[in-house]
Amino acid sequence: MSELKTPPSGGAKAAAATADYLDQRTGVGNAVKFFARKVFPDHWSFFLGEIALYSFVTLLISGVFLTLFFVPSMSEVTYPTEGVWATMRGVEMSEAFSSTLRLSFEVRGGLLMRQIHHWAALVFMAAIVVHMMRVFFTGAFRKPREINWVVGFVLLILGLAAGFSGYSLPDDVLSGNGLRITDGVIKAIPIIGSYMSYFVFGGEFPGHDLIPRLFTVHILLVPGLILALIGLHLFLMVMHKHTQYPGSGRKNTNVVGYPAVPVYAGKLLFNFFVVFGVIALMAGTMTINPVWNYGPYDPSPVSAGAQPDWYMLFLEGALRLMPGATEVMIGPYTLSLNVIIPAMIVPGILFTALAAYPFLEAFATGDKSEHHVLDRPRNRPFRTAFGVALLVAFFILVLAGSNDLIATHFHLSINDITWTFRVFLFLGPWIAFVVTKRICLGLQRKDRELVLHGHETGRIVRFASGEYIEVHKPLDAHERWLRVQHEAVRPLEIEPAEDSRGVRRKGYKADRMRQRLSQLFYEDRVEPVTPAEVAAAHGHDEHDEQHTAIEGHGQPAGVGASAHGAEPDGETAPDGRNS
């Protein structure tokens, strides 16, 4: 008897017909099939980039709500005498500030949406910074991802622009002080500074056009660029396939992980709701940017504790650390080095070093091969030390931007704090670089010791001859592979300056400069363990042979490794799939 089949419902038929219609006219079925079969590796650090994406989506959702009620105008109005916030009644203010108060206290859910928007901006910048740190320290920027690194760097700069233009819109005392500092920085530019200030502010500061202009930049120009670059960033990520951490089964020619559908798609959706929920919880329980306590912008009040959001604090700190007596007179003109150096040169050095590093490293190594397996930070001591030094410089500037709060909270002299930070700005990154590099080299030596001798167990064995040895536990194949799979990168070798006939070689100066850079990167290094070293350490070790015979624990540590500690035959990671 044949089995009866239930006929499809009307909804299923309609869905199938719609899908067939779209597939025949757009070819969307191939795209769906491609993305559904795409394999993504599974590691918690990859969630950092997702946090940045989801917080930006949260920014867009909350920003649309705020745009409906905010009035981007600098026209003067008087806060109504029947207004909700009693201390502002009868106070003259701009329409921008007045609409911010109305949005906060009179629009249902307005204050919650304002705080969701602000907290999402802080999380967005934090996620970008931490995500870029993960990419930097693991070498995920190497070929073919140099362009994607530049895209991420530009996203960081656009995030700074979006944050600055956003928290300047309420036109309160705090944001007004930040804009006044910006005006001073613009005017410090030689020759064209005053003209640029007039162009930006529409006249003498503060002018009447700045808030409408910032509003356009904040809701249209910068978000549009960020959306375009996020799309490019994701497209390049899919095209290049995802990087993965080193381990057995992981190679440059495969991706070990889970398919996009249904596993990764479900995780993405769940992670979005987690990020949105955490941001909403922060917004509902923690007040941020209470502009009603500051009041409308007035250039006369000056007080301690006037700091921008955290991602702009490094600029504030650089300005506070710079000595004031650094103005240079060139005829009738003043060159304000006390503003140019901290506000332009110092950030320029930090950002240029960050953006150019992938290209400098590629130039130093001469490596033109593709890399899809990430580095362990310890195996690239210079890169790791350089990144830590940059972070230390950034954190020192961030702390310096709060030197007044540190002084008031800990009852310290602000002058002593400022001079301490000035000294540490030069010594801190250097000390961090040296210490981090030594730690990385020490960890590499520890890896060599583990591969050659195994883990210490604390068990002591006495032989018949009276000799004592400690029993070492051999590394398993996966652990050994992790510690020896990286390639040895050595300084470049170049041809002599002169050929056999004594003629100076063309291009020697460029090669010599490249060699010096390569020596700076890779002169201090620890070579990975070779099969010959493993054989020398274990293959003819009499103690290990005696111990093997006496204790019956099988072959000694390290024996059985294939060439260059290669991955054992038949070993694959669970759920491994080739993309």
Side-chain angles (χ1 to χ4, degrees):
M1 182 176 180
S2 61
E3 182 180 356
L4 297 177
K5 296 183 178 180
T6 304
S9 63
K13 290 182 178 180
T18 303
D20 183 64
Y21 180 88
L22 292 175
D23 186 38
Q24 292 184 22
R25 287 157 180 80
T26 64
V28 69
N30 293 328
V32 171
K33 184 184 299 183
F34 172 79
F35 283 104
R37 295 179 177 177
K38 190 71 177 175
V39 175
F40 291 91
D42 190 36
H43 194 272
W44 66 267
S45 65
F46 299 144
F47 182 49
L48 298 171
E50 295 178 27
I51 293 176
L53 176 62
Y54 300 151
S55 57
F56 181 70
V57 174
T58 306
L59 281 169
L60 294 179
I61 295 172
S62 57
V64 170
F65 179 91
L66 298 178
T67 305
L68 300 176
F69 301 97
F70 180 74
V71 180
S73 173
M74 300 182 71
S75 300
E76 293 292 328
V77 297
T78 303
Y79 192 71
T81 54
E82 67 277 4
V84 175
W85 197 251
T87 57
M88 290 287 108
R89 293 172 183 169
V91 176
E92 292 187 358
M93 58 187 65
S94 65
E95 266 197 283
F97 188 81
S98 177
S99 65
T100 303
L101 294 180
R102 184 169 60 254
L103 177 61
S104 301
F105 299 117
E106 299 178 32
V107 175
R108 188 180 298 275
L111 181 58
L112 176 63
M113 297 302 289
R114 270 195 66 229
Q115 300 201 148
I116 285 178
H117 194 73
H118 205 130
W119 279 117
L122 299 185
V123 173
F124 175 63
M125 290 305 303
I128 288 180
V129 171
V130 180
H131 176 61
M132 290 190 70
M133 288 168 55
R134 197 275 302 173
V135 172
F136 181 86
F137 287 118
T138 60
F141 53 74
R142 293 172 298 171
K143 184 182 177 180
R145 296 176 180 82
E146 301 96 332
I147 296 177
N148 220 4
W149 170 263
V150 175
V151 171
F153 174 78
V154 176
L155 281 171
L156 174 66
I157 301 300
L158 289 175
L160 295 176
F164 177 77
S165 59
Y167 73 65
S168 299
L169 288 178
D171 199 27
D172 59 295
V173 168
L174 187 61
S175 65
N177 286 333
L179 289 173
R180 191 67 182 92
I181 295 173
T182 304
D183 178 53
V185 172
I186 295 175
K187 287 181 177 177
I189 301 175
I191 302 176
I192 63 172
S194 58
Y195 300 101
M196 288 188 64
S197 175
Y198 268 67
F199 171 76
V200 170
F201 292 96
E204 189 64 45
F205 178 85
H208 296 282
D209 301 326
L210 182 61
I211 297 299
R213 291 178 178 179
L214 284 177
F215 185 72
T216 303
V217 168
H218 184 68
I219 72 164
L220 182 63
L221 179 60
V222 175
L225 293 174
I226 290 178
L227 276 173
L229 289 179
I230 287 178
L232 177 60
H233 189 72
L234 295 177
F235 170 77
L236 291 175
M237 184 194 71
V238 172
M239 184 179 69
H240 295 147
K241 73 185 180 182
H242 208 295
T243 56
Q244 56 187 340
Y245 281 91
S248 56
R250 294 166 173 83
K251 305 175 183 178
N252 284 322
T253 56
N254 73 346
V255 177
V256 178
Y258 299 95
V261 179
V263 178
Y264 216 76
K267 293 179 68 173
L268 291 177
L269 186 63
F270 174 78
N271 291 340
F272 169 74
F273 287 113
V274 169
V275 172
F276 185 86
V278 170
I279 293 175
L281 179 64
M282 295 168 63
T285 57
M286 293 182 282
T287 300
I288 188 170
N289 198 27
V291 295
W292 50 87
N293 288 338
Y294 309 144
Y297 177 63
D298 183 351
S300 58
V302 178
S303 63
Q307 276 79 24
D309 285 339
W310 72 267
Y311 48 84
M312 298 296 292
L313 262 178
F314 74 101
L315 281 174
E316 178 82 9
L319 287 167
R320 294 189 183 194
L321 291 185
M322 190 67 188
T326 50
E327 292 185 345
V328 178
M329 298 298 297
I330 304 177
Y333 302 101
T334 302
L335 188 62
S336 301
L337 295 178
N338 57 334
V339 177
I340 294 175
I341 291 176
M344 302 177 194
I345 295 179
V346 171
I349 292 174
L350 293 176
F351 284 129
T352 302
L354 189 63
Y357 184 87
F359 304 97
L360 291 176
E361 183 174 294
F363 178 74
T365 59
D367 185 10
K368 296 183 175 9
S369 59
E370 292 191 2
H371 297 275
H372 303 289
V373 178
L374 300 173
D375 286 328
R376 300 175 77 200
R378 67 181 63 183
N379 294 331
R380 293 293 182 266
F382 182 89
R383 180 203 298 158
T384 304
F386 181 79
V388 172
L390 274 181
L391 287 176
V392 168
F394 175 79
F395 285 132
I396 290 174
L397 292 177
V398 167
L399 291 175
S402 303
N403 60 352
D404 52 348
L405 291 179
I406 296 174
T408 55
H409 280 67
F410 295 97
H411 307 288
L412 301 173
S413 168
I414 192 169
N415 292 328
D416 294 341
I417 295 173
T418 301
W419 274 105
T420 301
F421 284 137
R422 285 173 180 170
V423 173
F424 270 100
L425 184 60
F426 291 95
L427 294 182
W430 176 257
I431 294 173
F433 180 89
V434 173
V435 171
T436 303
K437 191 174 183 181
R438 292 293 102 191
I439 292 175
C440 290
L441 293 173
L443 291 173
Q444 288 187 60
R445 294 188 183 95
K446 181 63 176 178
D447 283 345
R448 283 182 58 87
E449 180 184 349
L450 288 174
V451 171
L452 294 175
H453 305 293
H455 291 286
E456 296 180 356
T457 62
R459 293 178 56 217
I460 306 299
V461 175
R462 180 184 179 183
F463 293 110
S465 61
E467 181 182 3
Y468 290 89
I469 67 167
E470 180 183 8
V471 178
H472 283 219
K473 178 184 177 182
L475 274 65
D476 60 46
H478 297 283
E479 190 177 4
R480 185 170 60 247
W481 165 252
L482 180 64
R483 284 170 165 76
V484 300
Q485 52 79 33
H486 63 283
E487 298 178 358
V489 184
R490 303 178 180 90
L492 295 176
E493 296 182 2
I494 62 175
E495 298 179 3
E498 298 178 354
D499 59 20
S500 57
R501 295 174 295 178
V503 178
R504 188 168 183 83
R505 182 170 61 86
K506 184 178 180 181
Y508 172 76
K509 289 185 177 180
D511 288 347
R512 180 57 180 156
M513 181 183 66
R514 184 177 183 181
Q515 185 186 45
R516 288 176 177 175
L517 183 63
S518 179
Q519 289 172 345
L520 176 66
F521 275 55
Y522 302 111
E523 188 71 32
D524 296 331
R525 68 190 186 281
V526 176
E527 296 285 343
V529 179
T530 63
E533 289 177 309
V534 173
H538 300 291
H540 305 288
D541 193 322
E542 181 180 355
H543 295 307
D544 280 344
E545 291 177 355
Q546 293 178 7
H547 170 62
T548 302
I550 295 174
E551 298 293 328
H553 285 287
Q555 63 183 8
V559 175
S562 56
H564 195 63
E567 175 188 354
D569 293 336
E571 296 285 354
T572 57
D575 298 309
R577 297 176 175 87
N578 292 342
S579 63

